[in-house]
Amino acid sequence: MGEPELPPYPLLRDEIYQTVLFHGPLMQGIESVEGCGERGIAGWVSTAPGISEWIDRPVRSKWLIDPQVIDSAFQLVGLWTREILGANSLPTGLGSLRLFHRDFPEQGARVIVEIEQSSGARVTAAIEILDEDRRLIARLDNFECVVDASLNQAFRRNRLSSHFSVVSS
């Protein structure tokens, strides 16, 4: 998969989570979107906090696969479907996930999504996750999502109002 030439994406990080996606503060992993066009989308995402910050008694001391990076990659596909197809989407399948390094970079990762097929309510894509030196960390093949305009309203309903906050104990 090469470096796609993509037109600029119109929204900044805060606007993405206020107007398009439904994710709460703990899962708002998209830091910036480099570009978005017919062929795909690319951006920078943050990594998850330490495993003990999300799980009370973790079996491991480290993530094997960074859940925030993976979910943020799926969120980028959602931004693509909303921008290009006009409707939100949800993941429905993944053919394979291949890891090329033991660790995900702590400072975040670059995600490149190449749309392979877009027909009706189904989109398939290949997703590459790179570190800041452009080394391949992971590749997801045959990612699938369902696209449905009724999700636009559902995503809006699932956002927390600005006067609510998440409290952890």
Side-chain angles (χ1 to χ4, degrees):
M1 196 160 90
E3 297 273 334
E5 290 289 325
L6 299 170
Y9 184 72
L11 301 177
L12 297 174
R13 180 189 193 281
D14 289 343
E15 295 170 307
I16 289 168
Y17 291 106
Q18 290 170 1
T19 63
V20 181
L21 300 177
F22 63 86
H23 302 76
L26 294 176
M27 292 303 292
Q28 293 180 2
I30 296 172
E31 294 298 330
S32 65
V33 179
E34 294 176 350
C36 179
E38 294 291 328
R39 294 180 41 210
I41 188 167
W44 286 90
V45 302
S46 60
T47 52
I51 197 167
S52 60
E53 291 185 44
W54 278 8
I55 300 173
D56 284 337
R57 290 183 296 271
V59 175
R60 301 182 183 283
S61 61
K62 261 173 86 166
W63 298 111
L64 294 177
I65 299 170
D66 190 294
Q68 184 148 321
V69 170
I70 300 299
D71 191 74
S72 297
F74 298 168
Q75 291 176 36
L76 282 168
V77 176
L79 291 181
W80 183 88
T81 64
R82 183 65 182 265
E83 181 70 14
I84 302 301
L85 304 177
N88 284 331
S89 61
L90 288 172
T92 56
L94 179 62
S96 67
L97 166 64
R98 290 183 288 166
L99 300 176
F100 298 95
H101 289 276
R102 283 189 173 271
D103 299 314
F104 280 71
E106 289 182 23
Q107 69 279 8
R110 183 170 186 238
V111 175
I112 300 172
V113 176
E114 181 181 319
I115 302 302
E116 296 175 325
Q117 184 180 21
S118 175
S119 57
R122 183 174 169 260
V123 168
T124 59
I127 301 170
E128 288 187 346
I129 299 169
L130 306 134
D131 67 12
E132 63 184 3
D133 296 322
R134 298 179 185 236
R135 288 182 300 183
L136 186 62
I137 302 300
R139 181 174 167 95
L140 293 76
D141 286 305
N142 297 314
F143 169 80
E144 272 187 35
C145 64
V146 62
V147 181
D148 187 333
S150 69
L151 292 171
N152 298 0
Q153 182 63 31
F155 280 25
R156 277 193 292 279
R157 281 194 308 270
N158 282 324
R159 282 195 202 94
L160 291 176
S161 302
S162 60
H163 62 276
F164 287 104
S165 62
V166 175
V167 178
S168 61
S169 51

